[in-house]
Amino acid sequence: EAEVAQSPRYKITEKSQAVAFWCDPISGHATLYWYRQILGQGPELLVQFQDESVVDDSQLPKDRFSAERLKGVDSTLKIQPAELGDSAMYLCASSLGDSYYEQYFGPGTRLTVT
Amino acid sequence: DQQVKQNSPSLSVQEGRISILNCDYTNSMFDYFLWYKKYPAEGPTFLISISSIKDKNEDGRFTVFLNKSAKHLSLHIVPSQPGDSAVYFCAARNSNYQLIWGAGTKLIIKP
């Protein structure tokens, strides 16, 4: 069964350092989502791509976060510089298209900023 | 206002009995409601959905009920099994086709 791949699974970094997360969605899925999940809360959408274009990044802290999906396939989320409050689970999900409600999630990257 | 609330952080149920997880929402324009299940160290996986024009959807041991007048939905699991122990998220789709998520309820099935 096709899965969404994410790496790394765990990342520990010091504040002010740069970190990057990678996501490879299910083949053929046009829509890709990056979420942040803080312990005890539900996922919060950071950015949504339709193919290589950003559909919504209104919740992305653009002073330190950036995301790209250059060829409309895999995607990278970057944080520079990392802050203590960025410690969270970063989840990537994909769907066939933005009108499809079912999203398929990767295992996530657990980020700890010290 | 777009909020989805799961007011019970945790729920403990005896194996074989019914588990009922609840979710409330504020926006009457949500068109689909979904339940996801999450095990530790894994991403959420889709469990069951319901359209806003329906009041019930059933899939094996899982049934979701929607009460639009109360802006409330619930997930029933019958009978509950040890493998059902997980965190359950309720999510609702808005007019931008984006999912708004609740905080989750941790379900513990006791043997």
Side-chain angles (χ1 to χ4, degrees):
Chain A
E1 183 176 309
E3 295 180 342
V4 176
Q6 287 189 250
S7 66
R9 292 291 306 273
Y10 304 91
K11 180 69 178 179
I12 300 174
T13 190
E14 294 181 349
K15 62 181 181 179
S16 80
Q17 295 298 304
V19 292
F21 313 129
W22 177 79
C23 172
D24 191 13
I26 293 173
S27 178
H29 281 198
T31 308
L32 185 147
Y33 310 83
W34 282 103
Y35 289 92
R36 176 172 58 188
Q37 185 190 5
I38 296 169
L39 196 61
Q41 298 181 20
E44 172 198 18
L45 181 67
L46 293 174
V47 61
Q48 176 182 343
F49 289 92
Q50 181 68 23
D51 299 311
E52 68 276 6
S53 300
V54 173
V55 172
D56 186 345
D57 63 357
S58 58
Q59 300 303 311
L60 189 71
K62 298 181 190 63
D63 57 336
R64 297 184 301 108
F65 286 63
S66 64
E68 61 183 17
R69 192 184 184 198
L70 293 176
K71 297 182 179 178
V73 181
D74 59 338
S75 176
T76 302
L77 178 69
K78 297 179 181 177
I79 309 175
Q80 181 173 19
E83 296 181 352
L84 295 177
D86 296 331
S87 294
M89 175 73 83
Y90 290 83
L91 293 162
C92 178
S94 68
S95 67
L96 280 167
D98 60 2
S99 62
Y100 291 80
Y101 57 74
E102 187 172 346
Q103 298 179 15
Y104 298 80
F105 283 81
T109 296
R110 168 70 66 187
L111 173 67
T112 302
V113 182
T114 62
Chain B
D1 182 27
Q2 300 185 81
Q3 290 189 57
V4 175
K5 296 181 180 178
Q6 294 178 257
N7 292 317
S8 299
S10 66
L11 175 67
S12 186
V13 174
Q14 201 73 34
E15 181 180 357
R17 306 294 291 268
I18 183 171
S19 295
I20 300 176
L21 296 96
N22 294 302
C23 179
D24 296 295
Y25 60 95
T26 57
N27 188 347
S28 59
M29 299 303 292
F30 289 143
D31 67 345
Y32 272 94
F33 301 89
L34 298 84
W35 285 94
Y36 277 77
K37 177 178 178 179
K38 185 181 184 302
Y39 292 119
E42 296 183 13
T45 56
F46 172 74
L47 190 58
I48 191 169
S49 66
I50 187 167
S51 164
S52 60
I53 64 173
K54 305 282 188 182
D55 55 19
K56 177 183 175 181
N57 187 27
E58 189 173 353
D59 183 1
R61 297 186 297 113
F62 303 91
T63 303
V64 56
F65 295 93
L66 177 62
N67 182 334
K68 289 183 287 292
S69 61
K71 294 189 176 68
H72 176 85
L73 67 156
S74 60
L75 174 67
H76 293 211
I77 306 173
V78 182
S80 300
Q81 298 176 354
D84 297 329
S85 294
V87 176
Y88 290 78
F89 290 98
C90 170
R93 192 174 80 164
N94 66 13
S95 56
N96 292 326
Y97 297 139
Q98 293 170 344
L99 295 182
I100 309 299
W101 297 77
T105 296
K106 183 176 183 178
L107 177 63
I108 301 165
I109 305 301
K110 299 179 292 185

